[in-house]
Every structure is written in structure tokens, then in C-alpha cells.
Amino acid sequence: MIRWGEEKRRADPGFFCRSAVRGAAQPVWVVSDTRRLSDVEWFRDAYGDAVLTVRVTATEETRRRRSWVFVAGVDDAESECGLDQGVPFDWVIANDGDGAALSAQLDALLQDVRSRL
């Protein structure tokens, strides 16, 4: 499956992005799982300033508390870290277990989204 997806992306970087938005007419879309720079670039090229990029982070310590264990060949693959460098995110949300801080960040993000409608 991964090999098939990579072949599709190489032949047409926008293949999965176009599939995700086909027929969508909502004023706000949340695309929750872009994994590659080509995905972000496709949405920016297609929708320009309407695109807001959001990165959710957690420290490795927090991730380990949530039972994450690094697996070589998986967690260092492009599908997992392709957006770690070179992408200027509009929002970076820290999700390290502080519910009040997370809620405040999400409230600010939602205000930004609503102001653009």
C-alpha cells in the first residue's frame, strides 16, 4: 500500500489532495493529515491565502508518556517527518498535556478561522 501511494505521488503529487477535496463545498475544511511538503504546496497553490497551516507538537517526553516508541524506518520516513523542516506554519499548537493551555491555543485558532469567514 505504501509503495502504491508513493508511486501515485511521484506520478502526480496532487493525486490524493484532489481526491480529498473533490465535491467538498464547506466554507472551512480541516485536512488533518498532510504529511509531505508537496501536500502543503498543493493546497497553497490551489487555495492561496485561504489556507491556514497548523502544526501540532508534543515533546518526545510527552509522546513517550503516551506510549510512543521510535521505530527506525517508520518514524524517520518522509511520511512522518517530511514537514519537520522548511514549512512556515501559520499556527503551532503545543499538545503536551496542559488542557488549559491547549484549550486557549485552540480558541485563538478558532477565532482566526472565524475572522476569515
Side-chain angles (χ1 to χ4, degrees):
M1 186 64 146
I2 292 172
R3 189 175 303 125
W4 176 82
E6 294 302 326
E7 289 171 7
K8 284 289 192 190
R9 269 187 205 83
R10 270 193 292 284
D12 178 4
F15 177 81
F16 293 105
C17 297
R18 277 192 309 282
S19 295
V21 301
R22 187 173 294 122
Q26 294 79 8
V28 174
W29 306 339
V30 175
V31 181
S32 63
D33 199 18
T34 58
R35 292 178 170 251
R36 291 167 177 80
L37 180 57
S38 62
D39 296 339
V40 174
E41 289 171 340
W42 186 89
F43 279 99
R44 286 182 173 156
D45 288 347
Y47 298 102
D49 291 339
V51 173
L52 279 178
T53 54
V54 180
R55 181 175 183 93
V56 178
T57 65
T59 65
E60 284 195 26
E61 178 184 332
T62 297
R63 296 172 74 195
R64 280 191 293 273
R65 280 196 317 264
R66 295 173 178 161
S67 299
W68 173 78
V69 176
F70 179 84
V71 176
V74 174
D75 293 313
D76 53 1
E78 181 186 10
S79 64
E80 301 304 313
C81 55
L83 298 177
D84 287 352
Q85 308 260 336
V87 179
F89 289 94
D90 298 300
W91 287 85
V92 177
I93 305 293
N95 183 13
D96 282 316
D98 181 338
L102 179 60
S103 184
Q105 293 171 88
L106 293 175
D107 286 345
L109 172 59
L110 287 172
Q111 274 188 298
D112 188 7
V113 169
R114 287 182 186 119
S115 76
R116 295 165 183 266
L117 295 176

